[in-house]
Amino acid sequence: MTQVGEGHETAADEAGPVLTFGAPTAGEILAERYQLEEHVNNDSAGRQVWRGIDVILRRAVAVVLRHPGGDSATEMLQAAVAASRVIHPNLVGVYDAIDEEQRAYVVREWVDGESLRDLIAANGPLDPARAIAIAHSVADALTAVHATGMVHGNVHPGSVLIADDGRVVLADARADSSDTVEGDVRAVGGLLYFALTSHWPHSEVRESALTDAVRDADGNPAAPRSSRPGVPAYLDDLTMDLLDRRVAAPASDALTAELGRLDAAAAAEDDEFEDVGPLRFMQSGGSTSSEPSKTAPKILIGVGALIVIAIVGLVFGIRAITGTSSSDGTNTAGGDTSAQTPTGDGGEPVTPLPEPKKLELTADMVRLVDAPPGDRTDADEAKLTVDGDMDTGWSTQTFKGAPNFGNTKEGMGILINLGEARALSEVRVFTSVPGVTMDVRTGTSDPGNSSKGDKQLLKDYKSLSDEKPEKSTGNKWFYSVSDSNTKYQYVLVFLTELPQSEEGSGYKVTVNEIELYGY
C-alpha cells in the first residue's frame, strides 16, 4: 500500500529511512498526539511517509516527515496549510502541519487503497471508461482548488490515490511559484495517457520510476491509439490536445464538465460514448456543471449547416456579380480559381509551413557566453546542454548577494551556431530548478570565443521578444518564435537572473538541455 508524499518520485529507497538526525521510530508520538505505527516508504525529496494513529481522535493518519525543518520546509508546510482550507470529496484531507526546526511534518488523511501508479503497475492499462472516471474525479478536485486561487502543482500517478471503496483522491499539493493552473490541467492529460497506456508521457528532469512513453524521432509521445487499440478516437484526441502546448488548455471547470459528460455516457453505456463529436469546452461558460445540454449536437449541426449555406450563397453571389460585370465575357462563374490559392500581402502564392521538427544540435555547434568580467572556467560544459541527456548539463557557479549573478555581470548563456540560417518555431530550455530569468537573442555573426568577443556579441545581439523577460515558472521553459518567415543562424539562450541554489547558499542553476524546433 503506497501513500507517497510527493508524486514526481524516483524509485523508492528500499534500504530504509533517509532521515538521520531526528529520525523517527515506530511507537514515537509526535506533538503529543500522532503515534507512528509503520514506515511506508520514502519519496524523491528524502521525506518519509508513515502510517500513524491520532491518539486523541483514534483514527488512522498519514504522516509525511522531512529533515531539516525551518526555512527549508516552508514550501511543504505552506502547501499543506493552503490545502487544508479546501474541502472536497476528491481531495485528501490535511489535518496538521508542524515545524520542529530539526524536522517538519504534515499530517493528513490515511487512504486505504493504492496509488494510480501502483494500480497500473499491478494490473496494466485501464479500460477507457475507468480512465475517464479517474480523470474526471481529479479534474473536479482541481476545479475546487483553482476556485480558491491556489494551484496544486503535483498531479501525478503517485499522488492520485484509489481508495478501497472506489473513491479517487488527489493528495500532496506541492505548489510553489513555478506551478500554474495550466500545468495542473495539462497534468490531467498525462494521467489519462498513463491510465490508457501504462506509460508516462512527460520527460522529467529527474529520473522517474514510471515507464517512458513510446516516442517519435522528435521525442513526442505516440498517441494512445497507436499502442493501445480500442481507445475511442475522441478520447485519444482529448488526451493529446491536453499534452500539446500548441493547443490552448481549457479551464479546469470546462475540463471537468467535458469529462463528466464522457463519464456519464460511459457509465450508462450510451452509444454517444463511442462517437461524442467535437470538444465541448466552450459550453461550460465558466460553470462547474458536469451536465451540458443534450441538444448540443443538434445545435452544432444546425449552426454548421447554416454556415455552409451562407458560404455557398456568398460564393455563387460573387461569381454571378463578377460574371455579369466582365466586359469580355471571359470571367464567368467557375472561371476564376485564384481564391483557391493562399496569397501573401503582395499577391504572391504562400506555401503552408510543414510541421516543425526538432533540429539536430551537436557539441561543435555550441559555446559558452560569459559576459565580462568572466573567467569562462565552465566553458567545456556547454556541450552538455545538447547531448540529449537530462542528467548532465552546464552548471553556473554559485553567486552571492543577488540573483543577477551577484551584480558582477550582465549574464551568461549558450550560443548556438546552426551552420546555416534556419526558420525557427520554438526554443525549449530544461533547467534543474525553476525561477530562471532568460530570453532568446539573435545576431548575424559570432565575434569570437573570447571575453572580447562576448562583450561585442552582447552589444550586437537583439532579443526576439519585445517584452521584458520573466522568471521561468517550471523546469521547462518554452519560447515560441512568432516570425516563421525570418531565418536565424546564431541563437543565444541568455540568462540574466538565477534562482536560489538548492543548498540555499547563493544563486545557481544547471541548464540540462536546450532544444530548437524549426523548418
Side-chain angles (χ1 to χ4, degrees), residues 161-340:
L161 306 179
I162 316 297
D164 291 340
D165 61 4
R167 185 168 66 107
V168 177
V169 290
L170 182 58
D172 302 311
R174 193 200 57 191
D176 58 27
S177 59
S178 68
D179 296 306
T180 63
V181 168
E182 179 181 347
D184 279 353
V185 171
R186 292 199 185 279
V188 177
L191 293 181
L192 275 172
Y193 192 100
F194 181 72
L196 293 169
T197 67
S198 76
H199 291 75
W200 187 236
H202 298 301
S203 297
E204 296 177 349
V205 173
R206 289 188 292 176
E207 176 188 1
S208 175
L210 303 178
T211 304
D212 190 31
V214 176
R215 300 182 184 275
D216 61 21
D218 296 322
N220 301 312
R225 294 189 69 171
S226 65
S227 59
R228 173 87 184 282
V231 175
Y234 175 73
L235 183 57
D236 187 83
D237 290 342
L238 172 61
T239 301
M240 296 306 290
D241 282 352
L242 288 172
L243 295 175
D244 190 346
R245 291 189 176 275
R246 295 171 298 181
V247 178
S252 53
D253 61 345
L255 179 59
T256 299
E258 181 68 358
L259 290 170
R261 181 175 70 93
L262 291 176
D263 194 6
E269 298 183 353
D270 193 331
D271 291 340
E272 184 188 30
F273 174 61
E274 296 296 331
D275 185 18
V276 293
L279 293 174
R280 311 286 179 83
F281 292 138
M282 69 291 294
Q283 293 182 15
S284 72
S287 169
T288 57
S289 171
S290 59
E291 297 295 334
S293 172
K294 294 294 184 180
T295 61
K298 295 181 180 179
I299 294 174
L300 290 173
I301 292 173
V303 172
L306 289 173
I307 293 173
V308 171
I309 293 171
I311 292 174
V312 171
L314 179 61
V315 170
F316 277 97
I318 292 174
R319 289 180 174 176
I321 293 171
T322 57
T324 56
S325 63
S326 176
S327 58
D328 57 7
T330 59
N331 191 14
T332 58
D336 182 6
T337 60
S338 62
Q340 299 175 11

Side-chain angles (χ1 to χ4, degrees), residues 367-388:
R367 75 170 182 85
L368 182 72
V369 171
D370 191 355
D375 54 22
R376 307 167 65 81
T377 56
D378 45 358
D380 60 338
E381 294 184 1
K383 62 180 181 293
L384 301 179
T385 63
V386 295
D387 63 354

